[in-house]
Amino acid sequence: MSGFTINTFGGTAPKIYSRLLPPDIGQVAENARLDSGRLEPWKGNASTSITPVASYNVSAQTKTLFKYNDSIWMGSNDDLNIVRSPIAQDPWFRIYVTGRSGAFPEMTSAAGNLVTGGTFYRLGLPAPSSLPSTPVPQNKDSSAATPTLLANEETPVSRSYVYTYVSTFGEEGPPSAPSLANIVDVYSDQDVMVTFGGNVSGSYSIAKKRLYRTDASGTYRRVAEVDIVQATHLDITPDIDLAEEIPTISHEAPPDDSQADHPDGPMQGLVSMPNGILAGFSGQTICFTESFLPHAWPENYQLTVKSDIVAIAPLTSGLLILTKEKPAIIQGLDPASMAMTEIDSALSCVSKRSVVDMGEYVMYASPDGLVVGGEQGLQLATEQILTRDQWQALAPSSLVGFYWEGHYIGFYSTGTESKGFIFDPRGGKNSFVSLDFHATAGFNDLENDELYLVVSGSVVKFAEGVALNFKWRTKKFHTPRPFNPAIGKVDCDTYSPSPVMKIYADGVLKHTQTVTSSDTFRLPSGYKAKEFEVEVTGSVAINEMCVYESASEIGIE
């Protein structure tokens, strides 16, 4: 018998020499869906219409697409990380952002017209300037700074004052720095007039100031809350009526665009972790918030790795840190007690935008291939199907990845071509299939099970349109003796539109057949060859195809 039948179809494995491939593994599998075992087309992208806020226009330069709800979409030409508020029933519907070019970490709100109007505030609050002068004692029965009448009868109590800013959203920042010059001795017949420093300027939404003073034990407790415009406050509060201890001593803002304070630049890579924790990075430093306090980034919670961080990704109970060198894993659910372990692996990360949360694990692009990473370690997922050189030919540093139905959807641009691929990390013969289009951005809407992509400057829904045209080419079938195939057949459920079969012999195209039915068709004579390939293109499902030397070998007399 001289010929072959293909009745199961798989993806590609370029690493394996084309003659040594299993019969159902292809040399080419483009736009081909193979889950069922037969050759089917992937559905194309469906057109859709969205209108991003703040008059942003989606284009071929779009790198970020984010859906807050059906009426609020955000877009940017920068590679942004956007997370929702970790606070349940947040009355302000806050949104947190890092990555805007030249900007600081930001916060906006879906309430009112903040995000729709493009209004963003600095994430976190600054410490106010110190009190500009020593608070002034004055007798309770006088509005002037008159001397006490009890100087010879009692020992005065020394007080220190600090104050904080409070935002429109109820967030409280760190206190002003205490100063020896601001300590005042107070007798029981005196009140104290406190003068605040000048208010900070910048992209903040500060509404209030909270004044604190030391009690008998030296603990700062709240005296009063005043409007931001109030320049002074007369403290008439006895110790017994002081309120709570100051809770925000370590509530610093995250690294921002102040080069003097943060030479590694503003915090990037914002992600949301379990237990209401947000995390980000700057240079080699990982930063964490207090649980459910997304404006508070204590410096003593920071951890440092050996190499510059490229991206971070949340895990079930921690964080995967991907760097330019060895990765690391951080475990813990309390930001004050996170534990970090370096992973002994050379699988560095070459593209921040390639990092995709796949559920129980993370996938990203390394110099050697796609990596599966999780709490159990790292694994080179494409090791069996792609060599390092083949992977490098896809320009992995350009890779942009997305999750869809358990698959990794990747898009790359080499400078000469911009295309994509679908990789199934669960393995099997259908692991790797190429796509003939490229996306610059996307958003995975898990609630509605839809993947939005930006393709050629327009927003589309992935795999929800009409069937794409696929291309699938067999392995190189090598025969001991030369022969001339005479009969071909392609079995489909429908032949509209008609698929096309091409026969290659010893690398030369010998015949092109438009297939209109399940009947056999004649192949040209006049040559013999030892090596054959068959390529089929179309947009209808193919159950089986075969090529043989005679009709009897197909079962036709």
Side-chain angles (χ1 to χ4, degrees), residues 92-134:
W92 292 283
F93 306 102
R94 282 167 286 186
I95 304 168
Y96 300 89
V97 181
T98 61
R100 200 179 305 278
S101 179
F104 37 80
E106 298 168 307
M107 184 275 291
T108 186
S109 169
N113 64 351
L114 290 185
V115 69
T116 55
T119 299
F120 291 82
Y121 299 115
R122 285 181 178 268
L123 176 54
L125 292 169
S129 59
S130 297
L131 297 177
S133 60
T134 303

Side-chain angles (χ1 to χ4, degrees), residues 15 323-325 327 344-351 354 363-372 378-397 399 421 423 432:
K15 183 176 183 177
T323 77
K324 293 181 178 180
E325 296 179 1
D344 190 14
S345 169
L347 295 172
S348 60
C349 180
V350 296
S351 170
S354 73
M363 295 192 70
Y364 68 92
S366 77
D368 300 318
L370 272 180
V371 179
V372 170
L378 305 179
Q379 179 182 356
L380 189 60
T382 54
E383 185 174 19
Q384 300 302 315
I385 61 173
L386 291 167
T387 65
R388 186 186 188 281
D389 288 344
Q390 289 166 341
W391 174 248
Q392 284 292 319
L394 301 181
S397 62
L399 192 64
F421 62 82
F423 178 74
F432 197 82

Side-chain angles (χ1 to χ4, degrees), residues 8 23 59-60 84 189 313 338 372 434 472 508 556:
T8 59
S59 70
R84 302 169 187 271
D189 65 343
M338 294 289 187
V372 170
S434 61
W472 195 88
V508 178
I556 301 174

Side-chain angles (χ1 to χ4, degrees), residues 295-330:
H295 67 284
W297 297 78
E299 188 174 344
N300 59 326
Y301 290 178
Q302 294 179 358
L303 297 173
T304 303
V305 293
K306 294 180 180 178
S307 176
D308 283 346
I309 300 168
V310 176
I312 58 178
L315 301 172
T316 304
S317 60
L319 202 62
L320 183 63
I321 313 301
L322 303 172
T323 77
K324 293 181 178 180
E325 296 179 1
K326 290 185 176 182
I329 190 168
I330 293 175

Side-chain angles (χ1 to χ4, degrees), residues 209-402:
K209 292 179 280 200
R210 285 181 185 159
L211 181 65
Y212 295 84
R213 78 165 193 243
T214 51
D215 61 12
S217 67
T219 301
Y220 285 99
R221 296 191 178 276
R222 182 149 67 98
V223 175
E225 181 176 276
V226 302
D227 287 338
I228 187 64
V229 296
Q230 189 166 320
T232 62
H233 177 75
L234 180 62
D235 177 13
I236 63 173
T237 306
D239 271 9
I240 195 171
D241 291 334
L242 291 174
E244 76 278 358
E245 180 180 347
I246 187 170
T248 62
I249 290 177
S250 63
H251 287 190
E252 293 97 341
D256 60 16
D257 55 341
S258 171
Q259 191 67 25
D261 296 330
H262 307 289
D264 289 327
M267 186 179 71
Q268 306 286 322
L270 188 67
V271 298
S272 184
M273 297 175 62
N275 204 30
I277 304 167
L278 301 188
F281 66 88
S282 174
Q284 297 170 240
T285 302
I286 306 102
C287 310
F288 299 96
T289 65
E290 292 279 9
S291 292
F292 302 105
L293 294 176
H295 67 284
W297 297 78
E299 188 174 344
N300 59 326
Y301 290 178
Q302 294 179 358
L303 297 173
T304 303
V305 293
K306 294 180 180 178
S307 176
D308 283 346
I309 300 168
V310 176
I312 58 178
L315 301 172
T316 304
S317 60
L319 202 62
L320 183 63
I321 313 301
L322 303 172
T323 77
K324 293 181 178 180
E325 296 179 1
K326 290 185 176 182
I329 190 168
I330 293 175
Q331 293 179 304
L333 296 175
D334 181 350
S337 57
M338 294 289 187
M340 182 170 66
T341 304
E342 183 180 79
I343 300 174
D344 190 14
S345 169
L347 295 172
S348 60
C349 180
V350 296
S351 170
K352 174 179 176 289
R353 301 184 72 207
S354 73
V355 180
V356 175
D357 182 353
M358 301 292 291
E360 294 183 354
Y361 53 89
V362 172
M363 295 192 70
Y364 68 92
S366 77
D368 300 318
L370 272 180
V371 179
V372 170
E375 293 171 344
Q376 305 305 314
L378 305 179
Q379 179 182 356
L380 189 60
T382 54
E383 185 174 19
Q384 300 302 315
I385 61 173
L386 291 167
T387 65
R388 186 186 188 281
D389 288 344
Q390 289 166 341
W391 174 248
Q392 284 292 319
L394 301 181
S397 62
S398 71
L399 192 64
V400 183
F402 305 97

Side-chain angles (χ1 to χ4, degrees), residues 57-70:
N57 294 314
V58 175
S59 70
Q61 283 70 50
T62 297
K63 291 183 179 179
T64 300
L65 193 67
F66 179 82
K67 179 183 179 183
Y68 183 81
N69 57 32
D70 289 340

Side-chain angles (χ1 to χ4, degrees), residues 65 402-405 442-447 449-452:
L65 193 67
F402 305 97
Y403 171 86
W404 186 85
E405 299 289 350
F443 178 79
N444 192 345
D445 183 356
L446 295 177
E447 179 181 0
D449 198 22
E450 294 174 322
L451 174 59
Y452 292 84

